[in-house]
Structure formats: C-alpha cells, structure tokens
Amino acid sequence: MRRFRFLRAAAVACATLIAVPAVAQTTLKMNIPLARDSSYGVAVDTFAREVEARTGGRYRIQNFYSAALGGERESIEALQLGTLDLTMTSTGPVPNFVPEVAIFDIPFLFRDYAQARAVLDGPIGQDMLKKFEPKGIEALAWGENGFRNMTNSKRPVRTPEDLKGLKMRTMENPIHIEAYRALGILPTPMAFTEVFTALQQGTVDGQENPLSVIMSAKLYEVQKYLTLTGHVYSPALILMSKAKWDPLSAADKQAFLAAAKDAVKANRARIDEDEKKAVAELRAHGMQVVEHVDKAAFQAALAPTFADFGKKFGQANIDRIRNYR
Ligand code: EAX
C-alpha cells in the first residue's frame, strides 16, 4: 500500500512539473544615483513590481541603487551603448545628450510642483520625450527630482550677495552653471557620486539639491546652512535603452509605460511627503534653515541670463511654459 502511495505522489509531482509551462524570464538592469530609501528608490521599486506583474513574470527588473553601476551621465551613456537597460536620472547631465531638454533647467521657470507636473505630463513635456529616440534612448516618463535649494558650510544665505565667492558644486548642466555664475557663485560641476566627499573634504563650500535629496543623501552631515531658494525645478526621467525597448511586443511596451506611470506616482508622492517634513528633520539634524527668501532679488540678479536663455530657446517657448495653466 505504501509503495502505491509513493508511486502516486511521484506521478502527481511529475505531472505538475510537465503541466506548468516554464515562463522564460528576461532580467533587465536598472541603475539610479540615489539610495533605495529615496524618491527614485521608491519609483524604481514600484516600476520593478509593476513590470513583473504586468508582463506575467516574463520581465524582471534588477535595481541597483546609490550609483552602484555609475553616475547619471555614465548611466545614460551605458543606455546608448546597450550595457545598461534602464535608469532614473535628473536632467542634470541630459543636455549633453538632448540639448533641447535644457529649457526645463532654467531657474524660476516653474511656479510650483503642480505647474511643473502639468507641463511635463502635457503636450510640451510629452513632445520633448520623443527627442530621446534618435539618441538610442526611449524616454518612458517624466519623473521628479524637485525644487532645488542651496546649502553650504560657511554662512547663512539670505540674499544673492551672500552667495558671492562661495565654491558651489553644480550638476554638469550648462544652464545651471551660467545662472550660478551670474549670482557670483564659483561653480564646480561634478557628478553626484562625488558630492558628499567633496563637501566633507571642503573641496567645495556648498551644493544645491531638493530637500528630498538632501535628506536621502544625508547631506546634513556635511552641510550647516540651508536656504529655501527653490531657485530651479529639477525634473527626472525614466529612460530605457532602445536596444531593449524596440524588440518588446506592443503589449509589453504598454506594460512598461504603465509601470513607469505608476513609478512616477510613487516618486512624486514621496517628494510631497519629504517636502512637508524635511525642514523640521534637517533642523533636528543641526542645520540652520533660512526659510523665507526674497526670490525676486534672486530673479533680478539672474536677469542677464534670462535674456540669454530667451535667445537660446526662443522667448515664446519659455513664455509658453511659464504661462502654462
Ligand atoms: O538626481 O546630481 C544631482 O544633484 C541630482 O539632483 C541627483 O543626482 C539626483
């Protein structure tokens, strides 16, 4: 009798193995510059979960955090080479690949988060995503880095005057560098991967980033003063190598786009959450925060660059974004 039970169990086990077709799974690598506990980390974890669910397990995203596979510029280059499959990045280094995107990096272009999100999710932003295709990159969605604020280790910054002479790390972004020079800052462009050490060693006095990044990168450990300048909105992007995008079926392309949309929802929700609590938390970590800033004074100091940006991008294009409702 026991022999019969064993043979029956073995027969059921074999039948099960044969009955369930093995699902061929493709693993895609995705790299981000920020820690897992960040607005990009929640985005790519959501993306990974949604891609696997929406493709029935045929695609799996393997996430790498804290620039484990390189910084933002290297990641974008790797997408073009096909050595990396996906990344989430700020627009920092993007103008080196798609120059037209730099219009979004103009200081004081967007009024608030709602307007920035509406522009990027609307026709202006969606048309811009198409400009990545000739560069070997499929831009799946606009994400968000946030409004950038200035920090430094030397002195409180209340007016543009206070910025003069400060050596500030900037992103490798030509629009930011031109604008910060006009404020009297000595700009030192470098990848985000080098920022913490440069601040710790005093190679630079300060930097500028959204509150969410200042928190997730623990920059309060190496910066004393924070000023809520909100001087520029920093978009982010979910990008995919076209070498991996093009072969996808139409249904899988829709699945990846839907997963990117869900990822951006999580990304923006985390930024909204961080914006509410970061000032109190950064003060608790010992930062001195200048909350109320005369933004008009900073905009006045930037006036010469606005004229130049108007020539660069077309004033009508800038006004279309600025006045978007
Ligand atoms: O994308 O380089 C930067 O300051 C960016 O804000 C950061 O890498 C997040």
Side-chain angles (χ1 to χ4, degrees):
M1 188 56 179
R2 199 181 310 166
R3 190 175 154 69
F4 168 73
R5 273 208 301 271
F6 168 75
L7 285 174
R8 193 181 59 171
V12 167
C14 290
T16 313
L17 279 174
I18 294 161
V20 176
V23 174
Q25 188 172 68
T26 305
T27 297
L28 298 172
K29 293 184 188 308
M30 185 166 200
N31 185 50
I32 61 170
L34 298 181
R36 182 166 198 175
D37 183 12
S38 70
S39 73
Y40 291 12
V42 293
V44 297
D45 285 349
T46 302
F47 183 74
R49 189 186 65 238
E50 288 301 317
V51 163
E52 192 148 357
R54 292 169 183 272
T55 62
R58 279 176 291 105
Y59 288 91
R60 175 180 161 270
I61 306 296
Q62 186 182 4
N63 281 325
F64 295 84
Y65 311 93
S66 303
L69 300 183
E72 295 184 328
R73 173 196 280 266
E74 291 152 297
S75 297
I76 298 169
E77 285 164 354
L79 295 186
Q80 292 179 315
L81 293 168
T83 52
L84 178 67
D85 303 317
L86 291 132
T87 190
M88 183 168 189
T89 175
S90 72
T91 52
V94 171
N96 301 291
F97 301 89
V98 184
E100 300 92 327
V101 170
I103 193 171
F104 293 140
D105 294 319
I106 293 175
F108 298 109
L109 179 70
F110 294 105
R111 277 188 307 281
D112 53 31
Y113 279 104
Q115 190 212 15
R117 294 170 184 176
V119 168
L120 295 174
D121 294 349
I124 298 171
Q126 295 310 296
D127 286 351
M128 192 67 84
L129 293 181
K130 298 188 185 92
K131 296 185 187 302
F132 285 80
E133 291 173 22
K135 311 296 172 103
I137 297 167
E138 187 69 21
L140 301 187
W142 286 102
E144 183 166 88
N145 197 15
F147 278 95
R148 303 178 75 89
N149 301 295
M150 297 203 179
T151 69
N152 81 89
S153 57
K154 296 281 185 214
R155 53 181 179 265
V157 168
R158 293 187 181 81
T159 68
E161 283 305 305
D162 297 332
L163 287 170
K164 286 195 183 332
L166 282 178
K167 278 176 70 182
M168 300 280 279
R169 176 268 174 174
T170 69
M171 294 204 280
E172 298 159 289
N173 181 292
I175 301 304
H176 287 189
I177 291 167
E178 181 178 343
Y180 301 157
R181 277 207 179 102
L183 291 172
I185 285 170
L186 306 175
T188 308
M190 71 176 75
F192 187 67
T193 49
E194 299 159 39
V195 173
F196 191 94
T197 308
L199 293 168
Q200 198 169 37
Q201 293 174 348
T203 317
V204 290
D205 303 321
Q207 64 87 47
E208 38 83 57
N209 245 294
L211 293 174
S212 184
V213 172
I214 295 169
M215 285 295 295
S216 61
K218 299 185 169 46
L219 297 182
Y220 48 82
E221 292 179 357
V222 287
Q223 292 283 263
K224 178 82 182 147
Y225 303 103
L226 163 65
T227 301
L228 302 188
T229 47
H231 55 281
V232 65
Y233 173 81
S234 188
L237 285 152
I238 298 179
L239 305 176
M240 185 167 180
S241 174
K242 268 186 83 59
K244 292 294 169 50
W245 167 264
D246 288 346
L248 292 177
S249 69
D252 284 342
K253 285 187 168 115
Q254 287 312 310
F256 273 66
L257 290 171
K261 226 172 166 147
D262 290 338
V264 168
K265 275 198 199 100
N267 158 242
R268 289 170 173 172
R270 172 63 184 261
I271 287 169
D272 289 343
E273 192 189 307
D274 286 352
E275 287 280 318
K276 286 194 190 90
K277 63 185 187 183
V279 171
E281 292 193 3
L282 291 169
R283 280 196 166 113
H285 284 297
M287 290 197 87
Q288 277 186 36
V289 184
V290 175
E291 282 192 70
H292 306 293
V293 170
D294 175 3
K295 293 194 180 180
F298 284 84
Q299 287 171 287
L302 288 169
T305 62
F306 290 145
D308 184 45
F309 298 147
K311 287 196 199 89
K312 260 196 180 76
F313 298 103
Q315 193 55 50
N317 294 323
I318 294 172
D319 293 344
R320 191 166 155 240
I321 294 170
R322 204 169 252 144
N323 302 328
Y324 192 84
R325 291 262 179 255

